[in-house]
Amino acid sequence: MSSNKDTFDMSDLGSSLPAAAAALSAEDRAGLVNALKNKLQSLAGQHTDILETLPPLVRKRVEVLREIQGQHDELEEKFFEEKAALEAKYQKLYEPLYTKRYDIVNGVTEVEGVKNEDAPDQEGDKATEEKGVPDFWLTAMKTNEVLSEEITERDEGALKYLKDIKWCRIDKPKGFKLEFFFDPNPYFKNSVLSKIYHMIDEDNEPILEKAIGTEIEWYPGKSLTQKLLKKKPRKGSKNAKPMTKTEDCPSFFNFFSPPQVPDDDDDIDDDTAEELQSQMEQDYDIGHLLDLRCDDLTVKSGRAQVAEGQQGERPPECKQQ
């Protein structure tokens, strides 16, 4: 019997889980799969001895089962290839919808019937009439439980200038990119803030390798990720001026400064590594959420705008941001 046949093939554990596991979230299911793989890997050394103890007829049946598993793996590989091609095809089909949404949200075009039905009667009303759907993306993000936890009250002023979020797939290296487009604002110079996620495949499961964010060019005194602390000088001190220092603070805009993995793993202890992994998982969760499939965020935003009595049509539904 060849050495290839004497090794475990664990690539299909995810699809072989019992039906009860299907109810788990993707993250929990991936964790379960990894736990099973680790357990089986610890038993791999015993595998050859076990096969040798099997009767010849049973051993032959196991060999056939392995061949079936190999055929399954080949089909699964084709499935992922076709899935990627299908996603790319529909991403192009979504683009016209995103353009229409952008134009409506930002007042570039008006929806049919608004000009005639909702035209202001007085000159003063015309001066204060708002175009598009004000604070659309801020409202969209705040209606999501995860994102709302990341947005502070200080952030809201800057996020009012957010006019669009775009998602695109990247192939070299594999991953995806998020782009946040802003109108000119008093907080930072950048017109676009981006976040790139580099992914690697491990047993057909996407694993985050690293994330790269735009360096935000804050205007003086306008940083939302730091706050200025003033401390009174001690009594009797020759320096009468208050001491000042900056301190990092919670902000959605920390999203663009993702945690970084050291080049040398030996530089960090176990506790630091565990904390870093937790931070990276949280960062990816937010990025994946903003990799919108905007049926959740934008539709909820439209409902929130209507509930607040603001002008604007519900944005077009779409599958992917």
Side-chain angles (χ1 to χ4, degrees):
M1 189 174 297
S2 68
S3 59
N4 288 338
K5 291 184 179 180
D6 289 337
T7 59
F8 273 119
D9 185 353
M10 299 183 291
S11 63
D12 195 48
L13 278 176
S15 60
S16 301
L17 289 174
L24 296 173
S25 67
E27 292 79 3
D28 291 340
R29 188 175 180 184
L32 178 59
V33 170
N34 288 332
L36 289 172
K37 286 181 179 179
N38 292 336
K39 182 63 177 177
L40 288 177
Q41 192 66 50
S42 68
L43 300 174
Q46 307 172 22
H47 183 58
T48 302
D49 293 339
I50 293 175
L51 283 179
E52 290 177 352
T53 63
L54 295 176
L57 292 178
V58 176
R59 190 181 308 170
K60 181 64 176 178
R61 293 169 191 143
V62 171
E63 292 175 4
V64 173
L65 289 176
R66 283 179 171 172
E67 293 175 1
I68 293 174
Q69 182 62 55
Q71 295 170 12
H72 176 279
D73 293 343
E74 291 178 4
L75 286 175
E76 186 176 49
E77 185 176 351
K78 292 180 180 179
F79 162 74
F80 283 110
E81 290 176 358
E82 293 182 14
K83 178 184 176 183
L86 191 63
E87 288 180 346
K89 171 187 174 181
Y90 275 88
Q91 178 62 28
K92 293 181 179 179
L93 296 176
Y94 295 145
E95 288 300 330
L97 299 181
Y98 300 151
T99 299
K100 290 179 181 179
R101 184 183 65 197
Y102 174 89
D103 290 345
I104 293 173
V105 167
N106 294 284
V108 177
T109 60
E110 190 55 276
V111 297
E112 185 178 354
V114 170
K115 290 183 179 180
N116 295 330
E117 296 176 9
D118 300 326
D121 295 329
Q122 300 178 358
E123 292 294 331
D125 292 334
K126 291 182 180 180
T128 59
E129 181 185 4
E130 292 180 307
K131 294 183 178 180
V133 185
D135 305 339
F136 175 82
W137 285 107
L138 171 60
T139 304
M141 294 166 69
K142 288 180 65 177
T143 56
N144 181 274
E145 292 182 3
V146 176
L147 293 178
S148 63
E149 292 294 323
E150 302 297 319
I151 299 172
T152 68
E153 187 175 347
R154 297 172 71 226
D155 293 332
E156 292 188 17
L159 289 173
K160 287 178 180 289
Y161 292 90
L162 179 59
K163 61 181 181 179
D164 201 13
I165 302 176
K166 291 185 177 181
W167 174 94
C168 68
R169 182 186 305 279
I170 55 176
D171 295 323
K172 295 182 180 180
K174 187 176 182 180
F176 63 93
K177 178 169 70 172
L178 293 163
E179 293 180 302
F180 297 71
F181 294 82
F182 287 84
D183 280 324
N185 64 82
Y187 295 90
F188 47 81
K189 297 179 182 179
N190 314 67
S191 60
V192 182
L193 300 179
S194 64
K195 182 75 170 284
I196 300 175
Y197 287 89
H198 292 175
M199 312 296 294
I200 56 176
D201 282 335
E202 186 173 300
D203 298 329
N204 291 321
E205 289 286 342
I207 303 297
L208 175 64
E209 181 182 25
K210 65 178 179 179
I212 304 172
T214 298
E215 181 178 353
I216 303 177
E217 300 179 64
W218 299 103
Y219 288 119
K222 294 294 185 178
S223 174
L224 297 171
T225 59
Q226 292 184 328
K227 58 184 177 181
L228 187 65
L229 301 178
K230 292 185 179 181
K231 185 178 181 181
K232 293 183 179 180
R234 296 179 180 177
K235 291 183 178 181
S237 174
K238 295 181 180 180
N239 186 3
K241 294 182 178 180
M243 299 176 62
T244 61
K245 68 173 183 177
T246 57
E247 184 178 272
D248 294 339
C249 62
S251 170
F252 168 77
F253 290 92
N254 286 321
F255 175 69
F256 298 99
S257 299
Q260 298 297 318
V261 179
D263 294 333
D264 189 351
D265 293 343
D266 295 335
D267 293 342
I268 56 177
D269 55 32
D270 291 343
D271 291 340
T272 304
E274 185 175 347
E275 175 64 21
L276 180 60
Q277 181 178 354
S278 176
Q279 292 175 356
M280 292 183 67
E281 289 175 354
Q282 182 181 10
D283 179 79
Y284 176 75
D285 288 344
I286 296 173
H288 186 63
L289 184 60
L290 284 166
D291 149 21
L292 288 171
R293 320 283 202 263
C294 71
D295 50 354
D296 184 32
L297 284 190
T298 60
V299 170
K300 283 186 177 180
S301 176
R303 290 171 181 165
Q305 299 284 4
V306 171
E308 293 172 5
Q310 298 185 7
Q311 298 289 339
E313 292 288 324
R314 169 175 165 169
E317 296 185 16
C318 58
K319 293 289 185 182
Q320 184 173 339
Q321 173 56 28

